[in-house]
Amino acid sequence: MKKLLLLAILIGMAAFHAQGKIREKRSIVRLETTMGNIRIALNDETPVHRDNFLKLVSEGFYDGTLFHRVVKDFVIQAGDPDSKQDPGGKILGEGGPGYMLAPEIDLPFQYHKRGAVAMAREDDANNPDRLSNGSQFYIVWGKKYRPRELAFAWAGLRGGLYGDFETNREMEQEYLTTGGTPGLDGGYTVFGEVIEGLNVVENIQSTVTDSHDRPQTDIVILHAVVEQKSKKAGATGKRRYSPGLY
């Protein structure tokens, strides 16, 4: 009996230690917006995007920027520096920090489930290499899919424009039961996920917008804060990017 009790204690301690490792693995950023706070955990599997996002947040780059593009049942987008103190009427979405990031697409592990955070980019015609905008990001809302709809959305993942990508059962169940935007898989770098404030994302994506998908009432990122950094953050050395593209 004593041996069994000791074994249970050791297993419990190991599990607690493992959970602690999982928690401290990822960096966390808090977006304080006019509609509430959103907390985002960043993926260590996308180190270039992770470190770039942490750097911009630390520099106050996002403070005062807007969620300038909102598409109901799809995504909410922010990070255009041109949106700071914008009086309205201007078409946004072209700004950035002056560089782009090499893609870090990690299917089937990082995908466009509800709450996923990914970097925006120009369309395929102008950007066939899928380089990410250096600052603009979006948060996925999406919708739930039926099996046939999901198969259609993923049709281009195998032998398509970007080559072959894997899917798995976890991805399938997530899209069928919770929702997301599977049609974006393979084309954009997912570098994090919302861990708190998904209700804020839902409220933002339901807001009234104009003909350019800009909210009629400005939704502002008042302040972006780095709450914690993973041990791996900053370990990529010099950032890989393509300068002078803006």
Side-chain angles (χ1 to χ4, degrees):
M1 180 66 73
K2 288 183 178 179
K3 288 183 177 180
L4 289 175
L5 180 60
L6 178 60
L7 180 60
I9 291 173
L10 290 173
I11 291 173
M13 289 176 65
F16 179 79
H17 183 64
Q19 288 176 359
K21 279 189 172 181
I22 291 172
R23 278 197 298 271
E24 68 185 25
K25 257 185 178 181
R26 299 201 287 178
S27 302
I28 296 176
V29 167
R30 182 177 72 254
L31 303 180
E32 299 173 358
T33 84
T34 49
M35 292 189 70
N37 292 349
I38 302 170
R39 296 178 71 236
I40 297 169
L42 308 182
N43 300 329
D44 284 328
E45 294 77 15
T46 52
V48 174
H49 285 70
R50 175 202 62 204
D51 289 353
N52 178 69
F53 197 66
L54 289 171
K55 179 179 183 296
L56 293 179
V57 170
S58 299
E59 293 173 349
F61 183 94
Y62 292 111
D63 296 358
T65 57
L66 306 178
F67 278 97
H68 64 271
R69 178 173 178 251
V70 172
V71 183
K72 187 173 174 59
D73 296 328
F74 190 54
V75 302
I76 63 174
Q77 186 171 326
D80 184 348
D82 294 341
S83 69
K84 289 188 179 184
Q85 300 177 335
D86 178 65
K90 181 179 179 181
I91 298 176
L92 300 169
E94 297 298 323
Y99 58 83
M100 290 183 174
L101 303 174
E104 296 177 290
I105 295 169
D106 190 29
L107 287 178
F109 306 107
Q110 316 301 337
Y111 54 96
H112 287 81
K113 64 182 179 180
R114 180 164 291 174
V117 183
M119 228 57 176
R121 67 175 178 86
E122 291 186 344
D123 60 25
D124 294 342
N126 297 308
N127 181 24
D129 295 326
R130 297 167 294 164
L131 298 174
S132 299
N133 182 289
S135 62
Q136 291 193 45
F137 65 94
Y138 59 89
I139 302 176
V140 172
W141 185 255
K143 68 172 189 175
K144 294 180 184 178
Y145 280 72
R146 296 185 178 92
R148 185 173 295 180
E149 290 178 315
L150 183 57
F152 181 79
W154 274 344
L157 286 181
R158 296 178 181 86
L161 180 63
Y162 305 123
D164 290 331
F165 286 100
E166 296 180 15
T167 61
N168 60 25
R169 182 66 174 169
E170 178 186 326
M171 293 174 68
E172 181 181 4
Q173 286 303 303
E174 192 76 40
Y175 286 132
L176 295 178
T177 61
T178 303
T181 57
L184 299 179
D185 286 341
Y188 299 78
T189 297
V190 175
F191 67 96
E193 65 179 318
V194 173
I195 57 172
E196 188 177 314
L198 202 56
N199 61 315
V200 178
V201 177
E202 181 178 16
N203 290 337
I204 292 174
Q205 65 91 41
S206 296
T207 195
V208 179
T209 59
D210 64 18
S211 60
H212 299 292
D213 297 323
R214 176 172 171 170
Q216 291 185 358
T217 300
D218 285 348
I219 302 169
V220 186
I221 298 177
L222 301 169
H223 193 35
V225 182
V226 177
E227 288 190 356
Q228 70 177 35
K229 289 185 178 181
S230 72
K231 291 180 179 178
K232 296 180 180 179
T236 56
K238 186 177 180 180
R239 287 178 297 144
R240 294 173 290 164
Y241 60 84
S242 299
L245 296 181
Y246 288 97

